[in-house]
Amino acid sequence: VQVAYDERYLYIAFRCRYEKPGKVDDAIPQDESDLVDSSESVQVFIDGRLDRTNARAFYLSRSGHRADLDRAQNGQADNWDWTGLWNGATHQYADGWTAEYAIPWGTIGVSRNEKEFAVGVNFARQIPLVAGDVAWALFPADSAVPPSFFGKLEGMTNVKPHLRLYLQPYVAAFAQDPRNDIPRLRD
């Protein structure tokens, strides 16, 4: 794992290798929870306020699919409806793959800061085909990557998050049988 940053983004790069040739997971996950639970992936967990209770999680599968969630109550409550604005890409090669993230400071929840600061962080890789999971900062096996076990990323300065807007399409429909009278007062 390599980490870099500038005033707008936190950049993270993974290089994932295989010990020996074998079957790899290029399956397309059906949804975010399928990616998180059963796809080969790398994960970045960031506690932007360093409160050791809340975090944002960013997942990239080997095939380039993404998932994200907002984690609260030290890993006991996950908000799958949260949608973060971030970029990610993967590249596959003969004996491994790479993943790159560009996560805006605003998505992480870090405010403008010109002084030195730190964030909580953890990095992980999941390889379901060999029942292998590894993490940078170890945590209890029966837990969901709790922020209280994260390591620290320190020494960053001069961060200036920009505002970003996410619009999600929404459609609503209503059908009424024209043979039924519509009451004047209805909920």
Side-chain angles (χ1 to χ4, degrees):
V1 176
Q2 294 176 309
V3 179
Y5 78 97
D6 63 21
E7 67 182 26
R8 295 182 65 189
Y9 292 92
L10 178 64
Y11 302 98
I12 298 142
F14 285 82
R15 180 171 297 166
C16 305
R17 293 184 180 252
Y18 299 109
E19 185 176 291
K20 57 186 175 185
K23 187 175 179 182
V24 295
D25 177 11
D26 286 328
I28 297 173
Q30 294 179 11
D31 56 25
E32 285 187 323
S33 63
D34 186 39
L35 187 155
V36 170
D37 293 337
S38 59
S39 291
E40 181 172 351
S41 64
V42 291
Q43 302 120 31
V44 175
F45 304 91
I46 303 172
D47 175 2
R49 294 183 300 238
L50 200 59
D51 62 13
R52 301 287 187 191
T53 301
N54 302 294
R56 304 271 166 83
F58 307 91
Y59 297 77
L60 268 174
S61 74
R62 175 180 150 78
S63 57
H65 293 86
R66 304 169 9 148
D68 51 29
L69 61 96
D70 188 39
R71 179 158 283 168
Q73 300 172 9
N74 201 32
Q76 299 304 308
D78 289 336
N79 178 0
W80 290 95
D81 292 330
W82 179 78
T83 300
L85 300 175
W86 57 284
N87 298 314
T90 61
H91 177 72
Q92 300 172 17
Y93 51 95
D95 63 345
W97 61 288
T98 59
E100 297 176 352
Y101 291 80
I103 307 171
W105 289 110
T107 297
I108 299 168
V110 173
S111 57
R112 184 182 185 102
N113 201 336
E114 298 202 12
K115 296 180 181 177
E116 191 170 306
F117 70 98
V119 296
V121 68
N122 203 356
F123 310 104
R125 180 179 178 196
Q126 177 174 279
I127 315 168
L129 291 176
V130 295
D133 294 339
V134 294
W136 175 64
L138 297 177
F139 52 90
D142 62 343
S143 65
V145 194
S148 60
F149 284 82
F150 288 6
K152 273 189 189 176
L153 188 57
E154 301 177 304
M156 294 160 299
T157 60
N158 198 28
V159 168
K160 301 172 185 166
H162 292 261
L163 294 177
R164 300 185 75 164
L165 177 65
Y166 173 75
L167 299 174
Q168 181 167 339
Y170 178 81
V171 175
F174 175 77
Q176 176 75 35
D177 186 348
R179 294 172 288 179
N180 294 338
D181 290 334
I182 301 174
R184 291 183 179 263
L185 297 173
R186 63 179 176 178
D187 189 349

